[in-house]
Amino acid sequence: MAQGENSSGRRYRASRRSFVRGLGTAGVVLPALTALPRWGFAEDTTAAYASASIDWKQFAGQTITLAGAIHPWSHAIAPLLPEFTRLTGITVDADFQLETTFMSALPIRLARGSSTPDVFMFTIYGQGISAGWLEPLNHYYSQRSLTDLGWYDENDLLKTARAFPLWSDGERYAIPITSEAMTLFINKDALAARNLPVPQTFEELLATAKAVKTSEMSGIAMRAQASFNSCPPALGFVFSYGGAMVKDNKAAFASPEAIAAVEMYGQILSQAGPFGAGSYEWYHVLDDFLQGRTAMAIDSSNFATDISNPAKSRVAGHAGYATFPHLPGRAPVPFMSHWQACINSKSRNKRAAFLFLLWATSKPTSLQTAAAGLATTRVSAWSSEGFKTAFGAEAAEAALTNLQNADVDRAKAILFHPQSKLILDAFMIGVNEVVNGAKSAKDAMTGAAEQANAAIRG
């Protein structure tokens, strides 16, 4: 159910109580809420870090390189890097690129054995772990000179953030830095003009998108580019139809459930999507929604920060946020993920790099990034007034509901697969063919699964 709607479609105002209850139903350890830190941003946060039993200056003089995508996390963390340098004496050289550029170049660089970047944003965990690119982190957590677990307080992390980095052997190769789930964005004025409620099911989504489409506004925008980076919305369709991406180490998206899901995805975009929908990546989706060129969109909950910002968004005053669609009688299963940050296994500054990640994901830092609108991994940050002001209470409620409804295991099954990129590339080539009308969903998914299984076999 969308935040701001009850079962009868009547409006209600999100309260702090319902917001905190949402954190609980997302699997959060509630006792952490009873002792939330009260650091104000007008105050010097030095005391918050000084209370940790960590020698923050132990690597003073070192320089670490940080690489990542242009993303809400990079926008939120970049202004705080001078603060980290003042605290630790460690210089951070940051390089943030367009996501598609970054994700294409990074594996090549790591495969060549480069010692830089020291720290990087990452998503293709299975490939990175199996290739030996990622530094195992468990032993860093156990080093008393480096980590104060009582101060860091892992119980303050969302349950999904605690579970997501764990590999099958219990080792951690990454630290989550954001929390996001596929969310339905609504231009309320566009739907109100035709007296339409927020769609709940996939059939309602199709009908609503077709009804509100005009010559100047598409009914809905979603990613459909033939690249693994465009997969998140389509994965939510597959999961919500009862399908999976991999099963018994084989591509599973030629199943009847996945075919039906992709067929619906193709119908929605071909009948109500924007012109050239097959070329859309996330930034096209976001820009269309910000500019009022689409009535609805499905993509990352992190879009809310830009959508609610009047300086960036023409629809800030009439944007709505809702839960992912579902089949009648079944719960929605949106794709969720945590962008994670990893340490290069070839880095020459691993301990300094870990100290950076500890700082970047700590409570005081997370409160500051949350105040910039970042959906962090911490309960204390999600429940802070700064986050609710920047992100919006309705958007946060919808994001938490979608996180709650997501299936972490199904998401990890594909993201942690050693051939995840090749599998997802094959899948999205098939989705793109359906959206463009080149193939039926059955033919496209059958061919895509064959291609993916060939990649799995090597």
Side-chain angles (χ1 to χ4, degrees):
M1 183 181 299
Q3 190 282 329
E5 298 280 346
N6 64 16
S7 58
S8 301
R10 293 178 301 219
R11 309 298 301 171
Y12 71 91
R13 185 182 299 274
S15 65
R16 175 177 171 80
R17 181 175 298 176
S18 68
F19 182 83
V20 172
R21 187 165 58 246
L23 289 169
T25 56
V28 174
V29 179
L30 287 174
L33 290 171
T34 62
L36 295 180
R38 300 294 182 182
W39 301 305
F41 300 128
E43 303 172 11
D44 186 354
T45 56
T46 300
Y49 300 106
S51 63
S53 296
I54 296 172
D55 177 8
W56 291 104
K57 295 289 188 181
Q58 59 188 299
F59 307 115
Q62 292 190 17
T63 297
I64 60 172
T65 53
L66 168 66
I70 295 172
H71 180 274
W73 185 76
S74 57
H75 286 307
I77 203 69
L80 303 183
L81 295 179
E83 180 179 309
F84 174 74
T85 299
R86 286 193 296 272
L87 176 69
T88 65
I90 300 169
T91 300
V92 180
D93 286 341
D95 180 19
F96 299 114
Q97 301 173 297
L98 286 174
E99 188 170 324
T100 50
T101 303
F102 169 70
M103 292 302 295
S104 297
L106 180 65
I108 297 172
R109 194 170 176 181
L110 296 175
R112 290 174 176 168
S114 174
S115 62
T116 59
D118 299 290
V119 180
F120 47 85
M121 296 170 65
F122 207 61
T123 57
I124 46 176
Y125 317 113
Q127 181 183 7
I129 294 168
S130 62
W133 299 340
L134 312 185
E135 177 74 3
L137 300 181
N138 279 2
H139 70 287
Y140 291 97
Y141 283 95
S142 64
Q143 295 181 29
R144 294 184 61 182
S145 63
L146 191 61
T147 308
D148 182 346
L149 289 178
W151 175 82
Y152 188 69
D153 189 8
E154 291 186 288
N155 283 336
D156 183 50
L157 296 172
L158 294 168
K159 183 179 179 180
T160 53
R162 296 198 300 272
F164 204 73
L166 295 178
W167 192 238
S168 56
D169 59 0
E171 182 61 77
R172 287 179 283 192
Y173 294 85
I175 298 180
I177 54 177
T178 67
S179 304
E180 57 189 299
M182 292 298 104
T183 294
L184 174 61
F185 303 101
I186 302 293
N187 183 321
K188 295 178 182 177
D189 285 358
L191 269 64
R194 293 185 177 271
N195 198 29
L196 293 169
V198 175
Q200 305 291 317
T201 68
F202 290 108
E203 290 290 350
E204 290 173 357
L205 183 69
L206 173 59
T208 302
K210 289 168 64 177
V212 297
K213 183 176 181 178
T214 69
S215 59
E216 297 179 350
M217 176 184 285
S218 67
I220 188 168
M222 298 185 291
R223 307 186 209 185
Q225 201 173 96
S227 165
F228 78 98
N229 200 56
S230 291
C231 70
L235 292 183
F237 276 60
V238 172
F239 295 166
S240 295
Y241 270 73
M245 292 300 292
V246 289
K247 189 175 183 180
D248 299 326
N249 200 34
K250 293 182 180 179
F253 43 82
S255 68
E257 295 84 2
I259 290 171
V262 172
E263 182 177 11
M264 174 58 76
Y265 199 81
Q267 286 182 23
I268 291 172
L269 284 177
S270 62
Q271 297 179 30
F275 177 78
S279 66
Y280 266 50
E281 241 292 358
W282 68 263
Y283 40 87
H284 301 110
V285 175
L286 176 59
D287 189 56
D288 273 14
F289 194 82
L290 292 177
Q291 301 304 320
R293 292 194 296 263
T294 187
M296 296 184 292
I298 290 180
D299 214 291
S300 169
S301 51
N302 285 337
F303 281 12
T305 304
D306 284 341
I307 291 172
S308 62
N309 184 349
K312 296 182 178 181
S313 172
R314 294 183 178 181
V315 298
H318 50 272
Y321 310 86
T323 53
F324 198 82
H326 62 88
L327 287 176
R330 301 185 67 161
V333 187
F335 176 76
M336 63 74 58
S337 66
H338 295 282
W339 262 99
Q340 302 197 97
C342 305
I343 295 175
N344 187 345
S345 63
K346 301 295 193 295
S347 168
R348 300 186 181 96
N349 306 295
K350 294 176 183 177
R351 284 164 58 81
F354 183 82
L355 192 67
F356 169 78
L357 289 180
L358 200 74
W359 167 85
T361 58
S362 67
K363 283 185 179 181
T365 305
S366 295
L367 280 174
Q368 293 184 76
T369 55
L374 182 71
T376 74
T377 59
R378 288 194 170 272
V379 177
S380 51
W382 273 80
S383 58
S384 67
E385 293 301 322
F387 176 68
K388 286 184 287 185
T389 298
F391 198 79
E394 181 182 343
E397 192 99 7
L400 281 171
T401 300
N402 287 320
L403 282 168
Q404 174 194 353
N405 289 336
D407 186 331
V408 177
D409 291 335
R410 261 191 282 189
K412 286 177 64 174
I414 179 58
L415 294 177
F416 280 66
H417 194 284
Q419 301 295 333
S420 61
K421 182 180 182 299
L422 294 175
I423 296 169
L424 291 171
D425 272 339
F427 171 70
M428 283 309 299
I429 289 171
V431 171
N432 180 269
E433 290 171 333
V434 176
V435 171
N436 288 332
K439 290 184 180 179
S440 68
K442 182 176 181 180
D443 289 347
M445 288 299 100
T446 300
E450 290 174 355
Q451 183 180 347
N453 283 324
I456 293 172
R457 290 191 297 268

